[in-house]
Amino acid sequence: MKAAQTLLLVLLCGGLMIGCDGDFLELTNPNLPTTDTFWKTAEDAVKAVNACYEPLTFDGMYGRFMHILQDLRSDDAAGDSPWGEIQNVGLFNLNAASFGPFLAWRDAYNGIYRTNQVLKYVPDIDMDPDLKARLLGEAKFLRAFYYFHLVKMFNNVPLILEPPESEEDYRQPQAPPEEVWAQIIQDLKDAQAVLPQRYTNEADIGRATWGAATAYLGVAYLFTGRIQEADAEFKKIIDSGLYQLVDDPRLNGGYEGENNAESIFEIQFSRDVGGTVPGWGGTPNPSWGETHARSITYSPPGFGWADTVPTRCLYETFKQEKTVDGQDDPRLYATMFYYRPGMTVYGVPWEELYNGDTTSVYWRKYQSDIPGGNEFDQRSGINIRVMRYADVLLMYAETRNRLGDRATAAHYLQMVRNRAHLPDREAEFAAMSEEELHEAIARERFLELAGEGKRFDDIRRWGWLQRPEKLAALQACDPEFNGYAPGREWLPIPQAEMDANPLLQQNPGY
């Protein structure tokens, strides 16, 4: 059940604009709440925090383009689209006028604007202190989550921690990335201290938890090279006993298995909430639904646009190692459609759809795959799992390896492999050098998290783009990497934002 969806839609028809009543606006809508009429009750506080989740579903976030921007710059996905805005992402050929980076910037700051309002006004509301603390923790987590996406994609971004009160307040210079990361870490630590481990009310499932804050705190430490601290946070998740791997990998990318025991944080979508129009962003509209267009963008031909496809390299890597009973890695079947006896695509036999094509591969993860269905209405209701326990286990294996504890690293690496019924190589892994074991962990992350927006972050933080032998390997796996040039690991600062704010400077390389 998409229980949190009714909460996320509460403010679509007006409340999303709370606080936008400054003197710099010449026209105001008398039907919208203002800072003078809103921030009065606990109900107002809950509605305001609900509104903070909503931008997660927008076009520039997990409605569509966040997937494109994260996946296509990796070697597990390739662009196969006639639309240059998608094709150029994988080719590292974006520019300041490109559509995707603008949407990502716009929608992340939309979320930050809302969280900043909560953090300014909710402390003064007379309400239950425990509920207040939790709501402020959710806002802190979400602000950190939005800034995490901004700094890891653009590197140089303004750090805005108060709701703007004038037009000039919107014009802020970029902060040093280390300051943004420091704020992310502080917000996550604050959230970790007050968020619950579980929600007992089914309607609250999907809200940020202690586990989500702890996992992303570990990620923030990992991304900033603080390995010992990252390691400690990942161990907290493991020791908590709150999460476990589910048996079937397909449960991590379809309708079945949403909010399962492996899920630490996922973006909630539903076809049964709201209207039937995709929420592309901009001024809220009551016709918006809580669905996403990722599925039509990634779908196989005949069921959507197939604008992105898995790389053949990903497929071949899956095929390199058989399970203990001689079968293909079950994650291959959960991740993509490909030619094999008995393969069906939305219930239709592969051979009937694609004639004699035995080489093409298409995404299955996050596709509905319902027989007789398709994705052409752009209204997928599948939740996007943005943090899973398997990810934490592999990051913990990475930090243990970096800290010299290869036996423990090997244990958690094999734990993820066990779910895929792969041979037990724990002793072999434990005997490897640090670099050899790192390569084994990297390979496992490539397969386990394919199509989940993690691979390019790994490539960038491991420094592979600056190592000639690694860049050559990436180019061999995905020829789109031939378009990479130094500086292109970051997205361009959108020209529209630079025109509106002359204090912004373009990233080097554009």
Side-chain angles (χ1 to χ4, degrees), residues 147-442:
Y147 268 122
F148 169 72
H149 285 73
L150 283 168
V151 74
K152 78 184 182 71
M153 292 193 298
F154 295 96
N155 198 39
N156 299 296
V157 299
L159 182 61
I160 301 172
L161 303 176
E162 293 282 341
E165 296 182 357
S166 70
E167 190 172 358
E168 288 302 314
D169 288 341
Y170 282 101
R171 299 190 176 104
Q172 299 293 329
Q174 288 139 306
E178 57 269 22
E179 289 187 15
V180 181
W181 281 112
Q183 185 63 51
I184 290 169
I185 289 169
Q186 187 59 57
D187 278 351
L188 290 171
K189 291 170 71 174
D190 292 346
Q192 183 189 50
V194 297
L195 289 178
Q197 291 187 336
R198 299 283 193 206
Y199 288 96
T200 57
N201 185 347
E202 187 177 7
D204 289 327
I205 293 174
R207 291 184 180 276
T209 61
W210 169 88
T214 303
Y216 275 100
L217 180 57
V219 170
Y221 284 138
L222 187 63
F223 275 48
T224 52
R226 297 165 66 172
I227 304 303
Q228 188 78 55
E229 291 155 297
D231 184 82
E233 298 305 320
F234 299 143
K235 190 172 190 299
K236 289 177 186 176
I237 294 284
I238 295 168
D239 290 347
S240 73
L242 292 169
Y243 305 99
Q244 63 185 42
L245 300 177
V246 296
D247 292 335
D248 182 0
R250 179 63 180 155
L251 296 177
N252 292 317
Y255 279 113
E256 185 181 1
E258 292 177 331
N259 300 307
N260 63 46
E262 187 170 338
S263 178
I264 298 176
F265 187 59
E266 62 187 73
I267 314 301
Q268 307 289 307
F269 290 94
S270 175
R271 289 177 62 90
D272 300 325
V273 176
T276 59
V277 176
W280 300 118
T283 304
N285 189 304
S287 67
W288 284 358
E290 290 296 298
T291 55
H292 61 80
R294 183 201 189 278
S295 291
I296 189 174
T297 306
Y298 283 57
S299 64
F303 302 92
W305 296 328
D307 284 323
T308 83
V309 295
T311 59
R312 187 72 187 177
C313 176
L314 175 64
Y315 168 83
E316 291 171 350
T317 305
F318 268 120
K319 297 284 284 187
Q320 287 172 358
E321 188 176 17
K322 297 292 186 179
T323 64
V324 293
D325 54 356
Q327 303 299 310
D328 284 341
D329 187 326
R331 295 173 299 184
L332 173 59
Y333 184 67
T335 300
M336 65 181 77
F337 297 108
Y338 59 100
Y339 173 77
R340 75 169 192 175
M343 172 65 76
T344 62
V345 183
Y346 291 76
V348 184
W350 176 281
E351 294 88 346
E352 180 180 329
L353 289 167
Y354 307 124
N355 299 317
D357 184 351
T358 61
T359 59
S360 294
V361 290
Y362 305 110
W363 290 110
R364 188 183 185 209
K365 188 178 287 186
Y366 292 128
Q367 303 305 124
S368 66
D369 196 20
I370 297 172
N374 60 60
E375 308 292 351
F376 285 114
D377 66 359
Q378 305 183 77
R379 297 188 60 243
S380 177
I382 296 175
N383 287 0
I384 304 297
R385 288 72 151 170
V386 292
M387 180 59 67
R388 297 196 283 117
Y389 189 47
D391 192 358
V392 169
L393 294 177
L394 291 172
M395 288 188 290
Y396 185 58
E398 181 180 341
T399 58
R400 283 286 88 200
N401 182 44
R402 292 279 297 277
L403 294 170
D405 182 7
R406 276 178 275 289
T408 302
H411 174 73
Y412 287 101
L413 170 58
Q414 186 60 44
M415 183 182 294
V416 175
R417 289 168 50 83
N418 286 343
R419 191 251 300 276
H421 309 296
L422 295 176
D424 187 349
R425 298 174 59 193
E426 184 174 334
E428 176 189 349
F429 293 141
M432 289 179 172
S433 68
E434 179 180 343
E435 182 61 24
E436 289 170 336
L437 184 51
H438 179 82
E439 289 297 315
I441 295 168

